[in-house]
Amino acid sequence: MPNRAAYETVLPYVREWVAYKVWQLRVPGVQVAIGYGGEVLFDEAWGYADVEAGRRLTTTDLFRIASHSKTFTSTALLQLAERGSLRLDDTVGTYVPALVDGGSPLADATIRELMEMGAGVIRDGHDGDYWSLLRPFPDEQELLALVLDRGQKVPAGSSFNYSNLGYSLLGMVIAAVTGQSYGDFVRESITGPLGLRNTGPDWDPARADDFVVGYSGFHADRQRHRIDHVDTHAMAAATGFHGTASDLVRYFSQHVIGQGTLLDDHSKRLAQRKAWSATDDPAGRGYGAGFIVDRIGGREVRGHSGGFPGHITQSLFDPASGLVVSVLTSAASGPATLIATAIVTLLDAAADGAAPGTPIPDDVDATTFTGRFANPWGVTDIARIGDRLVEIDPSGPAPLESPTRLEVVDADTLRMTHGNRFASVDEDVVYARDVDGTARSIRAGGGMTSERWVIPEETPEVAAGLV
């Protein structure tokens, strides 16, 4: 089954699975977009842009996408390198003379070393309380003061050290080379040409009503609390950007090899190859030049996560196939990475023609079997994944961690053919239906009945965990 056709079979279940996670985890708001082959296949929103006002979230409301900013900064630098305006092996001190004047060893670090997080720059400075909004994000002079205060913690080239200050310095490099502000240049060279009207380099007070309200997490409180937006000033190149999931799908589609006009493929490969591993496992997660390098199952992925006060975000793309997934959440500790990873897994399962189980017969309408059912022991989803029917527990973090494969026996019966044999493999799932044919309940594992279940209507405050 061609990938696009396979992906489209599972999109209805992606919608239902994400809706359940939003309800289960009481996330205020979530946007999800999926792209393939340069097109947006899926663009949905759940929850609220402003819980207290009862304003429903839409697909055009703006999230703070934080460290996604680094991919824009890297893209801008690679564009300048392609034009001959700078070389990636130029020293940072060439463009930020304050580092030379202040005697910082970072003056001799190269642009490439900062892009790859290999220059040894301290992560956020010795006073990073701006991240807790205890003070404003630094302006340019404060940024330089943070960098000049013991700002290189290990020698350049010695190890991977993720650094927001390092990428903030790269924003200063872009401004010095172009004679424009960082924000003006990325608008002119990236977001403008792509028509990304809902993406920009920092907080935009002129569009305040379009921004999603961010909320605190549950890690130290039973209730979420509203978090105000702030400007990131000199740190926009590291963490300032805002955007939508669909804009990010369009943007990252430009970074697929052989697609787009932002960069040539040579520059894309420079940015996306692994320069460093983030752990002691050389095969594990790593970093390129502004892009996180990772693997989901057997698929190589690139992209970036983002963490901003009240917003957690994740975008992933496959530079070879053109699959792109972006998930934006409006809460501290929001499940953006969990959701994005699950979606990639579901899409891959749908496209796997060698998956265990029996294909759905051509003359069977799979929607007569799909649905969500619950009893006192848990929740069960019957979902179409590619050309198979699968039983899934949506309450777990990974939908396909322990699925049960189902075979159509007759119009009211499925048989469990593959799965964990601590469960009820080789037994039947029998449907009870209303007079119109709608599934009312199933009798399945352990011979127990599960009734059809839908997410209950709740007040915005209850749904989002504010009470």
Side-chain angles (χ1 to χ4, degrees), residues 65-364:
I65 58 174
S67 288
H68 282 74
S69 307
K70 297 176 176 72
T71 72
F72 289 89
T73 300
S74 172
T75 298
L77 290 164
L78 289 164
Q79 287 178 329
L80 292 171
E82 286 183 5
R83 299 170 193 175
S85 300
L86 56 75
R87 295 182 310 142
L88 299 185
D89 291 326
D90 289 343
T91 64
V92 180
T94 302
Y95 303 103
V96 187
L99 297 177
V100 179
D101 297 341
S104 172
L106 289 171
D108 295 325
T110 67
I111 291 171
R112 185 193 306 271
E113 287 172 327
L114 263 71
M115 291 172 70
E116 295 176 346
M117 306 288 190
V121 188
I122 192 170
R123 193 181 198 281
D124 293 293
H126 294 287
D127 178 0
D129 281 343
Y130 48 90
W131 280 110
S132 300
L133 306 186
L134 298 179
R135 63 186 183 89
F137 274 75
D139 61 20
E140 191 170 293
Q141 291 306 309
E142 291 170 316
L143 170 66
L144 289 169
L146 287 170
V147 172
L148 292 171
D149 179 16
R150 298 160 288 156
Q152 190 183 52
K153 57 186 179 180
V154 296
S158 62
S159 61
F160 172 73
N161 285 279
Y162 190 84
S163 175
N164 288 307
L165 295 189
Y167 260 77
S168 300
L169 288 175
L170 290 173
M172 295 179 65
V173 170
I174 291 169
V177 171
T178 64
Q180 300 175 263
S181 71
Y182 169 80
D184 285 347
F185 183 73
V186 295
R187 278 188 287 263
E188 178 184 291
S189 65
I190 302 175
T191 61
L194 296 182
L196 304 181
R197 293 184 295 275
N198 290 319
T199 301
D202 211 335
W203 164 243
D204 184 353
R207 297 191 66 181
D209 290 343
D210 297 329
F211 276 79
V212 176
V213 175
Y215 293 87
S216 61
F218 290 137
H219 48 277
D221 198 333
R222 292 291 190 182
Q223 296 181 11
R224 299 192 189 277
H225 303 280
R226 188 183 187 100
I227 299 175
D228 291 333
H229 287 280
V230 296
D231 197 300
T232 62
H233 302 296
M235 295 188 69
T239 193
F241 262 78
H242 65 261
T244 63
S246 58
D247 264 13
L248 285 170
V249 163
R250 294 183 182 95
Y251 164 68
F252 281 115
S253 293
Q254 292 280 317
H255 290 280
V256 172
I257 302 302
Q259 275 185 198
T261 57
L262 280 184
L263 296 171
D264 63 34
D265 283 350
H266 178 252
S267 292
K268 294 176 190 176
R269 292 188 177 99
L270 284 176
Q272 296 171 26
R273 69 186 183 187
K274 185 191 289 188
W276 298 96
S277 292
T279 68
D280 292 336
D281 179 4
R285 195 178 197 219
Y287 209 79
F291 291 78
I292 292 174
V293 177
D294 211 346
R295 178 181 289 273
I296 298 175
R299 184 192 288 275
E300 291 278 345
V301 294
R302 303 294 186 267
H304 222 291
S305 53
F308 197 79
H311 298 254
I312 300 293
T313 55
Q314 176 74 68
S315 295
L316 304 166
F317 70 97
D318 180 343
S321 76
L323 175 66
V324 190
V325 176
S326 184
V327 179
L328 313 183
T329 69
S330 60
S333 302
T337 300
L338 179 151
I339 292 173
T341 302
I343 289 172
V344 172
T345 302
L346 286 166
L347 294 168
D348 281 349
D352 182 6
T358 304
I360 303 164
D362 291 340
D363 60 348
V364 169

Side-chain angles (χ1 to χ4, degrees), residues 5 66 79 98 120 145 148 158 166-167 213 218 222 297 372 381 384 388 392 401 407 409-410 422 425 428 437 440 444:
Q79 287 178 329
L148 292 171
S158 62
Y167 260 77
V213 175
F218 290 137
R222 292 291 190 182
R372 178 166 291 143
D381 286 349
R384 179 175 181 175
R388 307 288 199 273
I392 292 171
E401 183 174 26
E407 178 184 37
V409 177
D410 58 39
F422 276 102
V425 174
D428 288 343
R440 180 175 68 251

